[in-house]
Amino acid sequence: MLDIEQFKEYMNAAGGFNRLNGIRFPVVEEGYCEVEVEMTKDSLNPQGVAHGSLLFALCDCCTGMATASVGRSMLTQSATIHYLRPGTGGKLTGKSRLMRVGKNTAMCIGEVFDEQGRLLVTSQFEVFYTSDTLTIPHKGEDGEWHADGEGSWVV
């Protein structure tokens, strides 16, 4: 069984794209996820609103976590996104719900909201499960996450 709190802790500590873009995972439950990002000048497109790729990334991150929360490794297979209004303000929040889990695929709905709770984006993501297990790096005595396989946990 997946330890969701440990999974969330790892995702919030991991480097890479999410950290670079300030994406955080405050809520992760089985089949549900919320992500947040504080807007900065680097988040904006030339028109001064949230860049569309940031909005897409919020949907991709929260739907990915929701579909992986069942303890299976996955990759995004396809996505459809609808931009409804420009993203403005200080904080954007993505929310996702796992709608269907099949033998090899799953479907998840993602939405992004601004600080006033206005819906900015709707999306639908289909994922392909690459494994029936989810391997997460382990947290070493040094407090860092290690993906060396030794001590990593598999659900």
Side-chain angles (χ1 to χ4, degrees):
M1 183 98 191
L2 177 64
D3 181 336
I4 296 224
E5 284 303 310
Q6 189 172 9
F7 187 33
K8 181 174 90 171
E9 181 183 354
Y10 168 69
M11 291 302 294
N12 280 313
F17 183 86
N18 295 344
R19 181 181 285 174
L20 178 66
N21 289 283
I23 297 171
R24 305 286 301 154
F25 298 84
V27 179
V28 180
E29 300 169 0
E30 187 171 331
Y32 180 80
C33 180
E34 292 183 15
V35 297
E36 294 177 346
V37 66
E38 290 290 335
M39 297 274 287
T40 69
K41 65 178 181 148
D42 293 328
S43 305
L44 306 178
N45 68 17
Q47 289 78 38
V49 296
H51 197 285
S53 64
L54 178 64
L55 297 170
F56 185 92
L58 289 172
C59 291
D60 191 37
C61 289
C62 69
T63 59
M65 284 291 283
T67 55
S69 71
V70 298
R72 297 171 71 184
S73 295
M74 49 62 65
L75 295 170
T76 298
Q77 182 169 319
S78 66
T80 302
I81 189 162
H82 300 279
Y83 297 94
L84 306 175
R85 65 173 41 96
T88 60
K91 180 173 74 172
L92 302 178
T93 302
K95 298 180 180 184
S96 62
R97 305 180 298 291
L98 183 57
M99 303 303 288
R100 180 188 178 283
V101 176
K103 180 179 178 184
N104 297 311
T105 63
M107 195 268 288
C108 200
I109 301 296
E111 300 171 318
V112 177
F113 301 87
D114 65 12
E115 285 183 310
Q116 290 75 41
R118 293 179 296 202
L119 181 63
L120 307 178
V121 171
T122 64
S123 66
Q124 179 177 316
F125 279 67
E126 186 172 8
V127 302
F128 179 77
Y129 285 116
T130 59
S131 173
D132 288 334
T133 59
L134 178 65
T135 303
I136 304 296
H138 72 283
K139 193 170 188 177
E141 292 180 18
D142 59 2
E144 296 294 320
W145 294 90
H146 302 277
D148 58 11
E150 191 166 317
S152 295
W153 50 278
V154 177
V155 291

